[in-house]
Amino acid sequence: MDYKQFKKMMVVVEQEIFLETIAENRGSIRIKKEKTVMKNLDIIFKAALKISNKKGFQVMSMRDLRQETGISLGALYAYFSSKDDLLSMLQYQFREVVGRIINHEINEQDNPVDQLRALVQAHVFSSELMQPWFYFSFMEAKNLNLKERKKAIEGDLATETLLESILEEGQDQELFVERNITLTAEVVKALFANWYLKRSKFRSRGVSVDEYADFVIEFMENYLGVENSELIPQGEAL
C-alpha cells in the first residue's frame, strides 16, 4: 500500500472516530447536529494544534482559539467546557485513529515480516497525515495534565509492545536474525519520530513519505536479515 491509498482509508477511520468522540462527550457538547459538530470540531482541533505548536498548549488562550477558528467564545464553549476537556477530546480523537489504523493493518498480515512492513507504513503515513498532532504529542508530553500524560505513556508503550512482539515472533520463526529486541524497537521508534520532527528538512531535499517508509523498511529488513526473495526461515536459506 502506498501513501495515496492509505490516505483514503484514513478518511473513513477518522469519520468513524469523530462520531465516537462526539458520543463520548455528549455531556459537554451542546450542539445536536452531528455534521455541524464534526465540521467545527475538526476546525477547533486543527486550530488548537496550530496554536499549541507555535506557543504551547498551556499558554494558548480561548481568545487565541476564537481568533484562529473564527468561532465565537460562546460557540466554542458549546463544544467543551474547559481547555482540559478540549485536550482530552483532541488526544482521544487522534490517539484512537492512529491506534486503530496500526492494529488493523497488522491484523491483515499473517507473518512477522509483513506485519513489520505494515507497522512501519501505518506509522509513517499516519504521522504524515497528522504531523501537527504527532509534533504536539512529542513536544507537549511533559506539560500534559496527569491524566493525559498517563494516557500518552500508555499509548507509546502499546506501540512499543506491539513492535517488540513482532520482532520476537520473527526471531522465534527464524525469519529475523537474533537481535536485542528492546534496542531494535527503540531504533525503529526513533526513525518514526525523525520523520514528523524533521519533515520540512526531508521535504526540502525532495524525500517523499513513500520513499521514507520504504527506506525504513529496507533498513530494518537488512538489519534483521530478512530474505528478499521469499519468506523462509533463516536456517533454511540457501
Side-chain angles (χ1 to χ4, degrees), residues 166-210:
I166 292 172
L167 294 171
E168 184 175 5
E169 184 64 25
Q171 288 188 16
D172 289 344
Q173 294 184 27
E174 298 184 343
L175 295 170
F176 301 153
V177 297
E178 187 171 343
R179 300 290 190 185
N180 184 305
I181 289 175
T182 300
L183 293 180
T184 302
E186 287 300 321
V187 168
V188 177
K189 287 172 59 183
L191 289 172
F192 289 161
N194 200 41
W195 177 256
Y196 60 81
L197 292 177
K198 300 179 180 179
R199 190 173 65 162
S200 60
K201 179 179 179 180
F202 288 114
R203 181 177 293 169
S204 70
R205 295 180 177 180
V207 179
S208 72
V209 65
D210 284 302

Side-chain angles (χ1 to χ4, degrees), residues 78-131:
Y79 292 93
F80 52 89
S81 58
S82 67
K83 279 178 59 178
D84 280 346
D85 283 344
L86 171 59
L87 176 62
S88 178
M89 292 166 65
L90 187 152
Q91 290 285 77
Y92 176 85
Q93 172 70 23
F94 290 102
R95 187 168 51 237
E96 284 295 307
V97 169
V98 175
R100 198 165 301 183
I101 283 287
I102 288 176
N103 281 289
H104 174 269
E105 290 302 291
I106 289 174
N107 291 336
E108 289 290 301
Q109 313 305 323
D110 58 9
N111 64 78
V113 175
D114 286 338
Q115 288 173 349
L116 180 61
R117 293 169 181 162
L119 174 57
V120 170
Q121 285 186 327
H123 203 291
V124 173
F125 291 167
S126 295
S127 70
E128 171 66 10
L129 277 170
M130 301 189 297
Q131 192 269 347

